[in-house]
Amino acid sequence: MNDALLAEPHEAPPRQTFAGEADRRRLTPPALKALVRLTAAWHVTKEQAAALVGVSPSTWDRIRQGRWHQTLTQDQFMRASALIGIYKALHLLFADDLADQWPALRNKGPLFENLTPVESMIEGGIPQMLEVRAHVDALRGGL
C-alpha cells in the first residue's frame, strides 16, 4: 500500500499576515530596505515618500538613514506590499528606465485623472495603491 495514503495529513503552515507583531517585526527591515530603494529609483521627494509609506517626513528621514528601529504597522505593511508589487510589476512590464519613470509620468487614464501615479496614490491612499497595482498587473497580463 502507498505510504503516502497512510501518512497523517500534512497541516499547512499558518497563513502569513501583517496582523501579527512577530511577523511585522521580522519583516520590517527588508520592507524598509525595499521602500528606500524603490522611492530612490522613482525619484520621489521626501514628502512624497513619507506620504506613500504613511509616516511623517522626519520619520522618513530616519528610515532612509537607517536610524528608525520601530516596527511597521499593519497599515504601513499594506502600503509597502502594494508599492513593492507595483515596482516589481513595472520592471516585468517595461525596461528598467521606463519602469522607474512611469510612476512620475502624468497619466490621462480614468484611474489617474491627469495625475501621476505617485500623486494619485498619495491622494487616494491604500485603496488607490491597490487599484494601481491591479492596473499594472492587468497591463502585463497578470490578471
Side-chain angles (χ1 to χ4, degrees):
M1 185 172 235
N2 187 339
D3 287 340
L5 295 175
L6 297 175
E8 292 291 321
H10 183 271
E11 191 173 311
R15 192 170 62 115
Q16 172 76 50
T17 70
F18 301 134
E21 174 72 22
D23 287 335
R24 290 198 322 272
R25 190 177 318 110
R26 178 177 57 82
L27 295 170
T28 289
L32 292 177
K33 185 176 182 180
L35 288 168
V36 167
R37 287 183 176 180
L38 81 83
T39 57
W42 289 355
H43 302 288
V44 298
T45 67
K46 170 175 67 172
E47 290 76 15
Q48 288 174 320
L52 288 169
V53 176
V55 297
S56 69
S58 61
T59 297
W60 179 250
D61 276 340
R62 288 193 301 279
I63 289 170
R64 216 171 26 85
Q65 296 164 1
R67 296 186 303 114
W68 192 75
H69 305 291
Q70 297 182 37
T71 301
L72 290 172
T73 66
Q74 190 171 357
D75 176 89
Q76 292 163 335
F77 259 110
M78 181 62 73
R79 292 167 177 271
S81 177
L83 293 168
I84 293 165
I86 292 165
Y87 178 88
K88 182 177 178 181
L90 287 172
H91 280 267
L92 292 171
L93 183 61
F94 301 123
D96 288 342
D97 286 345
L98 181 56
D100 291 335
Q101 291 170 12
W102 185 88
L105 298 175
R106 194 134 323 269
N107 194 313
K108 293 181 181 179
L111 179 61
F112 302 102
E113 299 176 346
N114 206 34
L115 297 173
T116 70
V118 166
E119 293 167 344
S120 171
M121 290 186 290
I122 290 170
E123 187 175 294
I126 292 173
Q128 184 67 0
M129 290 177 182
L130 297 175
E131 288 287 331
V132 172
R133 175 148 187 207
H135 174 74
V136 175
D137 283 343
L139 288 175
R140 68 175 190 82
L143 291 179

